[in-house]
Amino acid sequence: MFDLDGVLVDSEPVWEEVRRAFVAEHGGTWQPDTQSRLMGMSTGEWAAYLHELGVRLTPDEIARGVVDRMAARYRDEVPLMPGAVETVRRLAAGRVLGLASSSPRRLIDVVLDAAGLTDCFAATVSTEEVERGKPAPDGYLEAARRMGVDPGGCVAVEDSSNGLRSAHAAGMRVIAVPHPRYPPAPDALALAWRVLPDLAALAPDLIP
């Protein structure tokens, strides 16, 4: 089971740049902990949070404006993580893969299509499609449900604090591949079953 942002696509710097600019342009104030709090939130959750920062638009308008800008950036280039395509294809050859992401469905589909990975996943879930975003387990549980598998038999690959907490709360073993710019909190990293330096280290024999 894969996360998308920060694991397969190096999108967190783009999300931060786009949302920082959006907040500044619309009267809000970015806080020192804003980026870490946003990581893992569903679309509805982060749009409401940016509204609370003083953005003078409704949450729906915020979500639409930010996602439009992200889609435009992705149309220019999808910033895939090193080894992402090779790792997914290598694992898909012998295992059933799912994906649980905090990204909107629109962006998940754009990224997987651009990378040629759509057919590698038996199920993909956006936390827009469940009640709660990460760190709640809802996205991972829904992905397991759609795949018809027991969450306890799944291994999740995550990078962020909220992602690690989400997969662990779903009862999955979690492999952490920390993003160098946005490392997870120590207490979240402690939940990981394994910690790897990068995707290249994610060999099939590591996964039961």
Side-chain angles (χ1 to χ4, degrees):
M1 196 82 70
F2 280 91
D3 175 39
L4 183 71
D5 294 296
V7 173
L8 299 182
V9 59
D10 194 12
S11 55
E12 295 299 353
V14 185
W15 276 110
E16 181 175 2
E17 180 183 335
V18 167
R19 289 191 287 210
R20 269 184 182 269
F22 196 90
V23 167
E25 290 168 19
H26 294 89
T29 302
W30 192 268
Q31 302 297 327
D33 65 343
T34 292
Q35 177 62 19
S36 62
R37 292 185 63 180
L38 287 169
M39 292 173 70
M41 286 186 181
S42 68
T43 305
E45 289 167 342
W46 62 250
Y49 174 64
L50 295 188
H51 179 71
E52 292 172 4
L53 294 182
V55 175
R56 295 187 294 267
L57 296 169
T58 67
D60 283 347
E61 290 170 332
I62 293 169
R64 188 162 51 249
V66 170
V67 172
D68 282 348
R69 292 189 187 190
M70 288 294 296
R73 293 286 293 270
Y74 282 174
R75 280 194 292 271
D76 291 336
E77 179 185 10
V78 176
L80 293 167
M81 295 292 285
V85 172
E86 297 81 1
T87 299
V88 170
R89 288 181 177 161
R90 184 170 65 245
L91 291 175
R95 288 168 174 77
V96 179
L97 302 184
L99 182 142
S101 173
S102 300
S103 273
R105 167 58 58 188
R106 176 181 170 192
L107 297 184
I108 293 173
D109 292 344
V110 166
V111 169
L112 295 184
D113 182 63
L117 295 177
T118 302
D119 293 341
C120 292
F121 293 96
T124 63
V125 174
S126 165
T127 53
E128 289 182 329
E129 300 161 358
V130 295
E131 183 176 352
R132 300 173 297 172
K134 301 173 184 180
D138 301 30
Y140 278 110
L141 293 174
E142 176 62 14
R145 187 192 70 78
R146 293 183 189 182
M147 294 166 67
V149 298
D150 178 4
C154 295
V155 176
V157 184
E158 270 287 358
D159 67 304
S160 70
S161 295
N162 284 340
L164 291 164
R165 294 176 181 128
S166 173
H168 185 266
M172 299 181 181
R173 281 179 285 189
V174 193
I175 294 177
V177 184
H179 192 288
R181 183 170 168 182
Y182 305 102
D187 68 301
L189 191 60
L191 301 174
W193 173 56
R194 296 179 184 271
V195 180
L196 302 180
D198 51 40
L199 284 175
L202 186 58
D205 59 6
L206 286 178
I207 302 174

